[in-house]
Amino acid sequence: MSAQSDVSLVREASRQIVAGGSAGCLAIREKGCHQPLCFPKTLGRAWGNHSRIEGLVEICLMHPLDVVKTRFQIQRSVTDPNSYKSLGDSFRMIFRTEGLFGFYKGILPPILAETPKRAVKFFTFEQYKKLLGYLSLSPGLTFAIAGLGSGLTEAVVVNPFEVVKVGLQANRNTFTEQPSTLGYAREIIKKEGWGIKGLNKGLTATLGRHGVFNMVYFGFYYNVKNMIPVHKDPTLEFLRKFGIGLLSGTIASVINIPFDVAKSRIQGPQPVPGELKYRTCFKTMATVYQEEGILALYKGLLPKIMRLGPGGAVMLLVYEYTYSWLQENW
Protein backbone atom coordinates (compact mmCIF):
# COMPACT_ATOMS: atom_id res chain seq x y z
CA MET A 1 0.00 0.00 0.00
CA SER A 2 1.44 3.38 -1.02
CA ALA A 3 2.17 6.20 1.37
CA GLN A 4 -0.48 8.28 -0.42
CA SER A 5 -3.10 5.57 0.21
CA ASP A 6 -2.10 5.44 3.88
CA VAL A 7 -2.57 9.21 4.16
CA SER A 8 -5.98 8.96 2.45
CA LEU A 9 -7.13 6.24 4.85
CA VAL A 10 -5.97 8.22 7.87
CA ARG A 11 -7.67 11.36 6.57
CA GLU A 12 -10.93 9.50 5.92
CA ALA A 13 -10.86 7.93 9.39
CA SER A 14 -10.14 11.35 10.90
CA ARG A 15 -13.16 12.82 9.11
CA GLN A 16 -15.39 10.09 10.50
CA ILE A 17 -14.09 10.54 14.05
CA VAL A 18 -14.34 14.33 13.93
CA ALA A 19 -17.82 14.27 12.36
CA GLY A 20 -18.95 11.67 14.91
CA GLY A 21 -17.57 13.75 17.75
CA SER A 22 -19.40 16.77 16.38
CA ALA A 23 -22.66 14.81 16.51
CA GLY A 24 -22.22 14.74 20.27
CA CYS A 25 -21.57 18.46 20.31
CA LEU A 26 -24.27 19.65 17.88
CA ALA A 27 -23.61 21.88 14.90
CA ILE A 28 -22.28 25.39 15.09
CA ARG A 29 -23.20 27.69 12.26
CA GLU A 30 -21.48 30.92 11.38
CA LYS A 31 -23.79 33.88 11.03
CA GLY A 32 -25.02 34.03 7.44
CA CYS A 33 -23.41 30.69 6.57
CA HIS A 34 -25.08 27.30 6.13
CA GLN A 35 -21.99 25.17 6.65
CA PRO A 36 -21.14 23.58 10.00
CA LEU A 37 -18.54 25.65 11.82
CA CYS A 38 -17.46 22.88 14.18
CA PHE A 39 -14.34 22.29 12.11
CA PRO A 40 -12.87 25.20 10.18
CA LYS A 41 -9.62 24.85 8.28
CA THR A 42 -7.61 24.93 11.46
CA LEU A 43 -9.85 22.14 12.89
CA GLY A 44 -9.14 23.50 16.29
CA ARG A 45 -10.39 26.61 17.98
CA ALA A 46 -14.04 26.52 16.92
CA TRP A 47 -14.25 22.84 17.93
CA GLY A 48 -12.72 23.45 21.33
CA ASN A 49 -14.49 26.68 22.19
CA HIS A 50 -17.88 26.60 20.52
CA SER A 51 -19.17 23.13 19.68
CA ARG A 52 -18.44 21.83 23.16
CA ILE A 53 -20.46 24.72 24.59
CA GLU A 54 -23.39 23.73 22.36
CA GLY A 55 -23.01 20.11 23.43
CA LEU A 56 -23.03 21.20 27.06
CA VAL A 57 -26.23 23.19 26.47
CA GLU A 58 -27.91 20.17 24.86
CA ILE A 59 -26.97 17.89 27.76
CA CYS A 60 -28.17 20.44 30.31
CA LEU A 61 -31.52 20.78 28.55
CA MET A 62 -32.11 17.04 28.17
CA HIS A 63 -30.53 15.68 31.38
CA PRO A 64 -33.65 16.20 33.55
CA LEU A 65 -35.49 13.76 31.25
CA ASP A 66 -32.70 11.23 31.76
CA VAL A 67 -32.93 11.59 35.55
CA VAL A 68 -36.70 11.08 35.44
CA LYS A 69 -36.32 8.07 33.13
CA THR A 70 -33.86 6.41 35.53
CA ARG A 71 -36.10 7.11 38.54
CA PHE A 72 -39.09 5.47 36.82
CA GLN A 73 -37.02 2.45 35.82
CA ILE A 74 -35.68 1.73 39.31
CA GLN A 75 -38.97 2.19 41.19
CA ARG A 76 -40.65 -1.15 41.82
CA SER A 77 -44.05 -0.47 43.38
CA VAL A 78 -46.69 2.17 42.70
CA THR A 79 -47.97 1.67 46.25
CA ASP A 80 -44.74 3.16 47.60
CA PRO A 81 -45.60 6.72 48.78
CA ASN A 82 -42.32 7.90 47.25
CA SER A 83 -43.08 6.48 43.79
CA TYR A 84 -43.91 8.75 40.88
CA LYS A 85 -47.43 8.50 39.44
CA SER A 86 -46.78 10.35 36.16
CA LEU A 87 -44.21 12.40 34.28
CA GLY A 88 -45.58 15.64 35.71
CA ASP A 89 -45.68 14.18 39.22
CA SER A 90 -42.02 13.14 38.97
CA PHE A 91 -40.96 16.66 38.00
CA ARG A 92 -43.01 18.21 40.83
CA MET A 93 -41.75 15.76 43.46
CA ILE A 94 -38.09 16.03 42.47
CA PHE A 95 -38.27 19.83 42.45
CA ARG A 96 -40.08 19.94 45.80
CA THR A 97 -37.85 17.48 47.67
CA GLU A 98 -34.48 17.87 45.96
CA GLY A 99 -34.57 21.34 44.41
CA LEU A 100 -33.70 22.43 40.90
CA PHE A 101 -30.29 20.78 41.03
CA GLY A 102 -31.98 17.44 41.64
CA PHE A 103 -32.60 17.32 37.91
CA TYR A 104 -28.86 17.50 37.26
CA LYS A 105 -27.64 14.63 39.39
CA GLY A 106 -25.10 12.51 37.53
CA ILE A 107 -24.60 15.11 34.81
CA LEU A 108 -20.79 15.09 34.79
CA PRO A 109 -20.33 11.54 33.36
CA PRO A 110 -22.43 12.33 30.24
CA ILE A 111 -20.54 15.59 29.75
CA LEU A 112 -17.21 13.74 29.88
CA ALA A 113 -18.36 10.82 27.72
CA GLU A 114 -20.56 12.48 25.09
CA THR A 115 -18.01 13.49 22.45
CA PRO A 116 -15.86 10.29 22.54
CA LYS A 117 -19.03 8.17 22.70
CA ARG A 118 -20.47 9.69 19.53
CA ALA A 119 -17.09 9.54 17.78
CA VAL A 120 -16.86 5.81 18.55
CA LYS A 121 -20.49 5.25 17.46
CA PHE A 122 -20.12 6.75 13.98
CA PHE A 123 -16.50 5.80 13.31
CA THR A 124 -17.03 2.12 14.15
CA PHE A 125 -20.31 2.10 12.18
CA GLU A 126 -18.42 3.22 9.08
CA GLN A 127 -15.65 0.69 9.67
CA TYR A 128 -18.01 -2.25 10.24
CA LYS A 129 -19.98 -1.20 7.17
CA LYS A 130 -16.77 -1.23 5.12
CA LEU A 131 -15.79 -4.70 6.42
CA LEU A 132 -19.26 -6.08 5.70
CA GLY A 133 -18.91 -4.82 2.14
CA TYR A 134 -16.67 -7.83 1.47
CA LEU A 135 -19.60 -10.14 2.21
CA SER A 136 -22.57 -10.82 -0.04
CA LEU A 137 -25.11 -9.06 2.15
CA SER A 138 -28.00 -6.83 1.16
CA PRO A 139 -27.50 -3.11 1.90
CA GLY A 140 -30.31 -3.23 4.46
CA LEU A 141 -28.72 -6.06 6.41
CA THR A 142 -25.30 -4.42 6.16
CA PHE A 143 -26.58 -1.22 7.81
CA ALA A 144 -28.27 -3.16 10.62
CA ILE A 145 -25.29 -5.41 11.39
CA ALA A 146 -22.85 -2.49 11.23
CA GLY A 147 -25.13 -0.63 13.65
CA LEU A 148 -25.16 -3.61 16.00
CA GLY A 149 -21.35 -3.73 15.95
CA SER A 150 -21.02 0.00 16.58
CA GLY A 151 -23.44 -0.22 19.50
CA LEU A 152 -21.56 -3.08 21.14
CA THR A 153 -18.28 -1.17 20.79
CA GLU A 154 -19.84 2.03 22.11
CA ALA A 155 -21.24 0.18 25.13
CA VAL A 156 -17.78 -0.94 26.27
CA VAL A 157 -16.62 2.68 26.23
CA VAL A 158 -19.57 4.22 28.08
CA ASN A 159 -20.47 1.57 30.67
CA PRO A 160 -18.23 2.84 33.51
CA PHE A 161 -19.67 6.33 33.03
CA GLU A 162 -23.19 4.86 33.10
CA VAL A 163 -22.55 3.04 36.38
CA VAL A 164 -21.54 6.29 38.07
CA LYS A 165 -24.34 8.29 36.43
CA VAL A 166 -27.15 5.89 37.40
CA GLY A 167 -25.89 5.62 40.98
CA LEU A 168 -25.91 9.41 41.37
CA GLN A 169 -29.30 9.81 39.67
CA ALA A 170 -30.87 7.24 42.00
CA ASN A 171 -29.74 9.19 45.07
CA ARG A 172 -32.73 11.13 46.44
CA ASN A 173 -30.77 13.28 48.86
CA THR A 174 -30.47 16.96 48.07
CA PHE A 175 -27.79 17.83 45.54
CA THR A 176 -25.43 19.21 48.21
CA GLU A 177 -25.73 16.04 50.33
CA GLN A 178 -24.85 13.51 47.65
CA PRO A 179 -21.22 12.49 46.93
CA SER A 180 -19.26 14.07 44.13
CA THR A 181 -18.87 12.23 40.83
CA LEU A 182 -15.20 11.48 41.45
CA GLY A 183 -15.85 10.54 45.07
CA TYR A 184 -18.61 8.12 44.08
CA ALA A 185 -16.45 6.53 41.37
CA ARG A 186 -13.62 6.06 43.89
CA GLU A 187 -16.05 4.50 46.36
CA ILE A 188 -17.22 1.96 43.73
CA ILE A 189 -13.64 1.07 42.79
CA LYS A 190 -12.59 0.76 46.44
CA LYS A 191 -15.49 -1.52 47.40
CA GLU A 192 -16.07 -3.54 44.20
CA GLY A 193 -13.12 -2.85 41.90
CA TRP A 194 -13.11 -2.28 38.14
CA GLY A 195 -14.81 -5.52 37.10
CA ILE A 196 -18.40 -6.60 36.44
CA LYS A 197 -19.29 -6.21 40.11
CA GLY A 198 -17.84 -2.72 40.27
CA LEU A 199 -17.28 0.00 37.69
CA ASN A 200 -18.35 -2.31 34.86
CA LYS A 201 -21.45 -3.88 36.40
CA GLY A 202 -24.39 -4.14 34.07
CA LEU A 203 -22.12 -4.47 31.04
CA THR A 204 -24.29 -7.14 29.38
CA ALA A 205 -27.37 -4.93 29.70
CA THR A 206 -25.45 -1.94 28.33
CA LEU A 207 -24.25 -4.08 25.42
CA GLY A 208 -27.86 -5.04 24.73
CA ARG A 209 -29.13 -1.49 25.08
CA HIS A 210 -26.62 0.10 22.74
CA GLY A 211 -26.36 -2.84 20.34
CA VAL A 212 -30.10 -3.07 19.76
CA PHE A 213 -30.54 0.72 19.64
CA ASN A 214 -27.85 1.27 17.02
CA MET A 215 -28.96 -1.75 14.98
CA VAL A 216 -32.48 -0.33 14.66
CA TYR A 217 -31.35 3.32 14.55
CA PHE A 218 -28.87 3.00 11.69
CA GLY A 219 -30.70 0.16 9.96
CA PHE A 220 -34.03 2.00 9.83
CA TYR A 221 -32.55 5.41 8.98
CA TYR A 222 -30.39 4.42 6.03
CA ASN A 223 -32.84 1.89 4.59
CA VAL A 224 -35.81 4.25 4.72
CA LYS A 225 -33.74 7.22 3.54
CA ASN A 226 -32.70 5.27 0.45
CA MET A 227 -36.35 4.41 -0.28
CA ILE A 228 -37.75 7.97 -0.10
CA PRO A 229 -36.79 10.24 -3.04
CA VAL A 230 -34.36 13.09 -2.41
CA HIS A 231 -35.85 16.60 -2.49
CA LYS A 232 -34.13 19.28 -4.54
CA ASP A 233 -35.33 21.95 -2.15
CA PRO A 234 -32.80 22.14 0.75
CA THR A 235 -35.49 22.81 3.35
CA LEU A 236 -37.64 19.87 2.27
CA GLU A 237 -34.55 17.65 2.10
CA PHE A 238 -33.62 18.68 5.64
CA LEU A 239 -37.16 17.88 6.82
CA ARG A 240 -37.05 14.52 5.02
CA LYS A 241 -33.88 13.51 6.85
CA PHE A 242 -35.07 14.95 10.16
CA GLY A 243 -38.37 13.06 9.96
CA ILE A 244 -36.63 9.76 9.21
CA GLY A 245 -34.10 10.40 11.99
CA LEU A 246 -36.91 11.21 14.44
CA LEU A 247 -38.66 7.94 13.62
CA SER A 248 -35.36 6.06 13.86
CA GLY A 249 -34.62 7.35 17.35
CA THR A 250 -38.19 6.77 18.51
CA ILE A 251 -38.52 3.20 17.20
CA ALA A 252 -35.07 2.26 18.48
CA SER A 253 -36.01 3.60 21.94
CA VAL A 254 -39.22 1.55 22.05
CA ILE A 255 -37.43 -1.66 21.03
CA ASN A 256 -34.40 -1.36 23.30
CA ILE A 257 -36.00 -0.06 26.51
CA PRO A 258 -36.27 -3.48 28.25
CA PHE A 259 -32.47 -3.58 28.15
CA ASP A 260 -32.43 -0.04 29.55
CA VAL A 261 -34.68 -1.03 32.46
CA ALA A 262 -32.50 -4.07 33.20
CA LYS A 263 -29.40 -1.88 33.09
CA SER A 264 -30.89 0.63 35.56
CA ARG A 265 -31.94 -2.14 37.95
CA ILE A 266 -28.47 -3.74 37.90
CA GLN A 267 -26.53 -0.49 38.18
CA GLY A 268 -28.94 1.22 40.57
CA PRO A 269 -29.61 0.49 44.25
CA GLN A 270 -30.73 -3.06 45.10
CA PRO A 271 -34.10 -3.55 46.91
CA VAL A 272 -32.37 -4.94 50.02
CA PRO A 273 -29.02 -3.28 50.85
CA GLY A 274 -26.19 -5.81 50.75
CA GLU A 275 -28.30 -8.37 48.89
CA LEU A 276 -27.72 -8.65 45.13
CA LYS A 277 -31.09 -9.26 43.46
CA TYR A 278 -30.44 -8.01 39.92
CA ARG A 279 -27.34 -9.67 38.46
CA THR A 280 -27.52 -10.39 34.73
CA CYS A 281 -29.43 -8.78 31.89
CA PHE A 282 -31.94 -11.45 30.86
CA LYS A 283 -32.44 -12.77 34.40
CA THR A 284 -33.26 -9.23 35.52
CA MET A 285 -35.77 -8.86 32.67
CA ALA A 286 -37.41 -12.15 33.68
CA THR A 287 -37.58 -11.08 37.35
CA VAL A 288 -39.12 -7.71 36.49
CA TYR A 289 -41.67 -9.40 34.21
CA GLN A 290 -42.63 -12.04 36.78
CA GLU A 291 -42.94 -9.62 39.71
CA GLU A 292 -44.27 -6.46 38.04
CA GLY A 293 -45.69 -7.44 34.65
CA ILE A 294 -44.74 -6.75 31.05
CA LEU A 295 -45.34 -2.99 31.25
CA ALA A 296 -42.62 -2.67 33.91
CA LEU A 297 -40.08 -3.40 31.16
CA TYR A 298 -41.21 -0.17 29.48
CA LYS A 299 -40.87 2.15 32.46
CA GLY A 300 -39.40 5.51 31.55
CA LEU A 301 -40.35 5.16 27.89
CA LEU A 302 -41.96 8.61 27.51
CA PRO A 303 -38.99 10.69 28.79
CA LYS A 304 -36.66 8.42 26.81
CA ILE A 305 -38.55 9.10 23.56
CA MET A 306 -38.76 12.81 24.34
CA ARG A 307 -34.98 12.88 24.62
CA LEU A 308 -33.80 10.39 21.99
CA GLY A 309 -36.46 10.95 19.30
CA PRO A 310 -35.48 14.49 18.33
CA GLY A 311 -31.97 13.96 19.70
CA GLY A 312 -31.43 11.01 17.37
CA ALA A 313 -32.56 13.07 14.40
CA VAL A 314 -30.24 15.96 15.24
CA MET A 315 -27.30 13.61 15.83
CA LEU A 316 -27.59 11.96 12.39
CA LEU A 317 -28.08 15.26 10.60
CA VAL A 318 -25.10 16.88 12.29
CA TYR A 319 -22.94 13.87 11.43
CA GLU A 320 -23.98 13.81 7.78
CA TYR A 321 -23.66 17.55 7.17
CA THR A 322 -20.36 17.82 9.05
CA TYR A 323 -18.92 14.77 7.28
CA SER A 324 -19.99 16.16 3.90
CA TRP A 325 -18.43 19.53 4.73
CA LEU A 326 -15.18 17.87 5.82
CA GLN A 327 -15.01 15.92 2.55
CA GLU A 328 -15.27 19.17 0.59
CA ASN A 329 -12.95 21.28 2.73
CA TRP A 330 -10.41 18.90 4.32
Side-chain angles (χ1 to χ4, degrees):
M1 187 178 289
S2 66
Q4 187 174 0
S5 297
D6 289 339
V7 172
S8 297
L9 287 173
V10 170
R11 180 171 293 180
E12 182 65 13
S14 299
R15 288 173 184 152
Q16 293 164 3
I17 292 170
V18 167
S22 74
C25 291
L26 300 184
I28 303 299
R29 296 179 183 273
E30 189 174 15
K31 187 177 180 181
C33 176
H34 295 287
Q35 299 293 342
L37 188 64
C38 288
F39 310 101
K41 292 179 181 179
T42 58
L43 294 174
R45 190 161 59 185
W47 163 254
N49 296 337
H50 298 292
S51 64
R52 286 176 184 171
I53 294 174
E54 290 296 317
L56 178 62
V57 171
E58 189 268 342
I59 292 172
C60 289
L61 289 174
M62 295 297 185
H63 193 74
L65 289 170
D66 195 48
V67 171
V68 169
K69 181 208 72 171
T70 301
R71 294 287 180 89
F72 271 113
Q73 290 177 342
I74 61 176
Q75 73 178 19
R76 298 167 188 86
S77 173
V78 293
T79 58
D80 185 344
N82 293 318
S83 68
Y84 306 120
K85 307 301 186 293
S86 65
L87 187 63
D89 180 58
S90 66
F91 275 94
R92 286 191 295 271
M93 189 176 291
I94 290 172
F95 181 75
R96 186 171 64 248
T97 60
E98 301 170 50
L100 180 62
F101 289 114
F103 294 109
Y104 295 95
K105 289 178 175 179
I107 194 172
L108 186 56
I111 289 174
L112 295 174
E114 189 66 18
T115 298
K117 177 174 76 172
R118 300 309 179 197
V120 168
K121 176 195 287 283
F122 286 97
F123 172 69
T124 56
F125 172 71
E126 297 292 348
Q127 299 310 305
Y128 289 129
K129 190 170 65 173
K130 187 184 296 183
L131 288 173
L132 290 167
Y134 294 105
L135 303 177
S136 300
L137 299 175
S138 66
L141 192 57
T142 297
F143 290 132
I145 295 175
L148 174 63
S150 74
L152 296 176
T153 309
E154 179 188 16
V156 175
V157 174
V158 304
N159 194 62
F161 295 93
E162 288 291 320
V163 170
V164 176
K165 184 196 76 170
V166 170
L168 292 172
Q169 288 178 339
N171 190 320
R172 293 201 179 195
N173 292 330
T174 60
F175 191 83
T176 55
E177 292 175 335
Q178 74 167 17
S180 67
T181 300
L182 184 59
Y184 184 65
R186 284 174 174 169
E187 182 182 343
I188 294 173
I189 295 169
K190 184 178 180 180
K191 289 182 177 179
E192 306 292 347
W194 293 83
I196 57 174
K197 291 184 178 180
L199 208 58
N200 269 295
K201 65 181 174 181
L203 178 59
T204 54
T206 306
L207 288 168
R209 184 181 81 154
H210 287 262
V212 170
F213 183 92
N214 283 7
M215 179 177 68
V216 177
Y217 180 64
F218 285 117
F220 183 90
Y221 179 77
Y222 285 106
N223 280 295
V224 173
K225 192 180 79 163
N226 291 339
M227 293 166 57
I228 300 177
V230 176
H231 286 286
K232 293 182 179 180
D233 182 272
T235 302
L236 291 177
E237 176 61 11
F238 174 84
L239 291 174
R240 179 183 79 99
K241 291 181 177 179
F242 184 86
I244 300 169
L246 179 66
L247 279 174
S248 301
T250 301
I251 294 170
S253 296
V254 173
I255 293 175
N256 91 323
I257 194 166
F259 291 95
D260 203 358
V261 171
K263 171 187 160 299
S264 295
R265 294 291 179 99
I266 295 168
Q267 295 177 344
Q270 299 294 311
V272 179
E275 182 181 315
L276 196 58
K277 179 176 183 178
Y278 303 114
R279 295 175 180 270
T280 61
C281 178
F282 290 106
K283 188 175 180 181
T284 297
M285 285 186 192
T287 301
V288 172
Y289 170 71
Q290 290 165 1
E291 295 182 354
E292 303 170 46
I294 187 68
L295 292 181
L297 292 171
Y298 292 87
K299 287 182 176 180
L301 180 59
L302 180 58
K304 183 182 178 78
I305 289 175
M306 290 172 66
R307 187 170 68 92
L308 293 180
V314 170
M315 186 165 54
L316 281 166
L317 287 172
V318 171
Y319 174 76
E320 288 195 350
Y321 285 119
T322 304
Y323 182 63
S324 176
W325 183 85
L326 285 170
Q327 285 181 311
E328 294 174 6
N329 294 275
W330 184 43

